[in-house]
Amino acid sequence: GAGVSQSPRYKVAKRGQDVALRCDPISGHVSLFWYQQALGQGPEFLTYFQNEAQLDKSGLPSDRFFAERPEGSVSTLKIQRTQQEDSAVYLCASSFAGTRSLPGPQHFGDGTRLSIL
Amino acid sequence: TQLLEQSPQFLSIQEGENLTVYCNSSSVFSSLQWYRQEPGEGPVLLVTVVTGGEVKKLKRLTFQFGDARKDSSLHITAAQPGDTGLYLCAGTRGKTSYDKVIFGPGTSLSVIP
């Protein structure tokens, strides 16, 4: 389809393992966002890319979290040495650049549900 | 502390009833967005409001941005079971083409047939 695609949909890992979550944004969308959503809560911002440049990573909770978008399209969120508190749904969103007064609408994928045992 | 507060947290109503959910902040936002999220899916944008006092209608949904651009409300008329979901407000504070979107905790709405 033409929407944002995330994989895998579900990921179960043991504490201490590394995981990699993938996001395929809508073709041509310049902006890409990663969010973490705990059960029953709203999404929490993690990081933002404009093309291949990571312009804001202020929401990454620790240096175990790393995101990249090397060619300005597909993005990967990597979590090293996972801990139980990393269990959450990880959402990716993409948008066109927007204007000075109005951000481009964000189109979300369906997320990856990560469970750390 | 949440930059954006939403109330109520949970709402369960009968089909056909009207309801209003609120999004409040002590900060001024340049724009506010409302999303609906269904279980197992990502949020879907419903509307963006940018002008203080602005009112937008989307079928049975009416969105209002407060005059001071610190709060917003969503009113649903004659709710239907298909309206069930998590309603999220989200705001941006900057005036650049990129600005971090801050989400509220959501209002979980259940419409009973």
Side-chain angles (χ1 to χ4, degrees):
Chain A
V4 176
S5 178
Q6 291 188 245
S7 60
R9 286 298 315 273
Y10 303 92
K11 177 69 179 176
V12 180
K14 292 183 178 179
R15 185 164 55 92
Q17 289 183 331
D18 298 348
V19 298
L21 313 180
R22 177 187 169 104
C23 173
D24 276 278
I26 292 173
S27 178
H29 276 189
V30 169
S31 300
L32 186 145
F33 303 80
W34 282 98
Y35 295 88
Q36 181 188 62
Q37 186 174 24
L39 189 64
Q41 297 295 315
E44 295 273 354
F45 171 83
L46 293 177
T47 187
Y48 163 71
F49 289 86
Q50 187 173 89
N51 296 307
E52 69 279 1
Q54 188 175 20
L55 299 187
D56 188 345
K57 54 182 181 179
S58 62
L60 295 176
S62 77
D63 58 8
R64 297 185 296 104
F65 286 71
F66 172 77
E68 59 184 5
R69 194 186 185 197
E71 298 178 358
S73 178
V74 171
S75 178
T76 303
L77 176 67
K78 298 180 179 178
I79 309 174
Q80 298 176 325
R81 304 181 303 281
T82 53
Q83 300 177 4
Q84 285 189 322
E85 60 262 31
D86 299 335
S87 296
V89 174
Y90 290 84
L91 293 165
C92 174
S94 70
S95 72
F96 59 85
T99 68
R100 283 189 59 82
S101 60
L102 187 64
Q106 295 193 23
H107 299 262
F108 282 82
D110 288 337
T112 293
R113 182 175 296 277
L114 176 64
S115 298
I116 305 300
L117 306 179
Chain B
T1 56
Q2 288 275 357
L3 196 59
L4 278 169
E5 303 285 345
Q6 289 189 244
S7 60
Q9 187 178 0
F10 300 97
L11 187 56
S12 181
I13 61 169
Q14 292 291 130
E15 181 177 359
E17 292 184 352
N18 302 332
L19 67 116
T20 302
V21 298
Y22 301 91
C23 175
N24 297 287
S25 177
S26 57
S27 299
V28 175
F29 287 90
S30 58
S31 69
L32 262 174
Q33 299 156 18
W34 284 92
Y35 292 79
R36 182 170 69 214
Q37 183 177 24
E38 300 191 25
E41 299 182 5
V44 175
L45 180 67
L46 297 173
V47 76
T48 299
V49 286
V50 296
T51 304
E54 181 177 4
V55 176
K56 281 191 174 179
K57 291 193 175 185
L58 184 66
K59 296 183 180 178
R60 294 177 293 101
L61 279 60
T62 302
F63 305 86
Q64 183 161 8
F65 201 10
D67 290 341
R69 290 186 289 132
K70 293 182 179 181
D71 55 86
S72 181
S73 64
L74 159 60
H75 182 80
I76 301 178
T77 303
Q80 298 177 3
D83 296 328
T84 293
L86 180 68
Y87 288 82
L88 296 158
C89 70
T92 57
R93 291 191 289 174
K95 286 276 189 183
T96 59
S97 59
Y98 156 68
D99 194 43
K100 187 188 313 185
V101 176
I102 300 164
F103 280 85
T107 292
S108 180
L109 171 66
S110 177
V111 181
I112 303 165

